[in-house]
Amino acid sequence: MKLTIFAATGGIGRQALEQAVAAGHDVTAVVRNPKKLSPGVRAVRADLAAPDPAVLESAVGGADAVLSGLGPQSASDAGIAWQGTRAIVRAMKATDVRRIVVVSAAPIGTVASPGRPAPPKHDPGDGIFMRTLFSPLIKAALRKHYADLALMEDVLRDSGLDWTVVRPPRLTDKPLTGAYRTAYGQNLRRGLFISRADVAHLMLRALRQPETLQRTIGIAY
Ligand SMILES: NC(=O)c1ccc[n+]([C@@H]2O[C@H](COP(=O)([O-])OP(=O)(O)OC[C@H]3O[C@@H](n4cnc5c(N)ncnc54)[C@H](OP(=O)(O)O)[C@@H]3O)[C@@H](O)[C@H]2O)c1
């Protein structure tokens, strides 16, 4: 496939890039700093905080699918996920590219946003410890970050595109296993961790699975 990978120098993005190239896909990497990429990778430079629409259109034009590992790296960065994804969606619409897979986070199913003002109070996959203790604490600590990801999901739901949102729990840098659980529209019971490599694996796998269109997917070991 011809793939365009945004944030291909990030933790998940780098894994997606490596796995996509290893699988023989024709990849274009869209990054802020192409010097961070291995030699030989086709790169387009774009800062998604202030993107040039023509640059994004040239990066996605002709692609079979777009993958994005974009996300805020600090609270002050919050807003980049939804604004950057909105710019990607606009470029896709302008060039008739329909398929996109992005990374969100496990708690987002229960985070309110303008598009989902009354989400369920608890994720059906979360057990009692997660519901009563961990999830409220982490949502309070990462409030701005999660608001950004919830808005990003709104952007995709409103896009009319063929989107898939992967919602991982705590990320690790452990190696690729391919041996993880997934669930549509909910988290995984006792699923606290997943490696960035396995999230990237699922993002690429979803491209071959039409049942993942317009779905959020929980992933964990
Ligand atoms: N950490 C966790 O445990 C966890 C758990 C669940 C979900 N998540 C979500 O998963 C996302 C991806 O995780 P990760 O470990 O791959 O994160 P990461 O390494 O911080 O990657 C974020 C990517 O976004 C890019 N980016 C940020 N601002 C940008 C901008 N203005 N223009 C262009 N690119 C920009 C970064 O570019 P550079 O490479 O140039 O810095 C980087 O490639 C996180 O952002 C978070 O929302 C994280």
Side-chain angles (χ1 to χ4, degrees):
M1 278 191 275
K2 198 166 179 311
L3 302 180
T4 300
I5 303 181
F6 283 84
T9 46
I12 291 171
R14 184 176 289 277
Q15 292 292 332
L17 174 63
E18 279 176 20
Q19 292 177 37
V21 169
H25 297 302
D26 173 0
V27 181
T28 298
V30 188
V31 297
R32 290 194 281 200
N33 182 1
K35 287 194 186 128
K36 286 198 205 161
L37 292 168
S38 311
V41 176
R42 189 188 310 121
V44 172
R45 182 198 300 271
D47 184 337
L48 289 167
D52 176 345
V55 170
L56 298 194
E57 285 166 29
S58 78
V60 302
D64 297 305
V66 169
L67 301 183
S68 172
L70 177 65
Q73 289 165 314
S74 63
S76 61
D77 245 4
I80 189 60
W82 80 266
Q83 289 169 29
T85 303
R86 181 180 61 178
I88 295 168
V89 162
R90 285 179 177 160
M92 290 175 68
K93 288 182 154 180
T95 53
D96 281 331
V97 175
R98 292 203 50 78
R99 186 74 177 103
I100 178 166
V101 184
V102 309
V103 185
S104 179
I108 305 306
T110 58
V111 173
S113 65
R116 274 172 89 242
K121 199 161 185 302
H122 301 298
D123 186 293
D126 288 345
I128 187 82
F129 166 74
M130 190 58 91
R131 285 178 183 202
T132 55
L133 195 63
F134 193 67
S135 186
L137 284 177
I138 190 115
K139 278 161 76 175
L142 295 178
R143 192 176 51 79
K144 285 187 177 166
H145 189 135
Y146 288 165
D148 185 11
L149 296 180
L151 277 169
M152 175 187 75
E153 294 194 8
D154 282 356
V155 166
L156 291 170
R157 266 191 301 274
D158 291 346
S159 68
L161 297 178
D162 291 334
W163 54 269
T164 301
V165 169
V166 177
R167 288 183 180 155
R170 181 80 198 149
L171 296 170
T172 75
D173 285 322
K174 297 227 164 88
L176 174 68
T177 70
Y180 46 80
R181 296 178 291 152
T182 60
Y184 288 118
Q186 66 171 75
N187 295 331
L188 280 308
R189 192 61 60 98
R190 290 183 293 278
L192 299 181
F193 299 98
I194 191 74
S195 74
R196 291 174 172 86
D198 278 325
V199 174
H201 184 270
L202 174 62
M203 293 172 79
L204 285 161
R205 195 178 85 179
L207 299 180
R208 292 182 270 110
Q209 297 178 316
E211 63 273 24
T212 62
L213 298 186
Q214 278 80 41
R215 305 298 291 268
T216 60
I217 310 181
I219 176 173
Y221 295 120

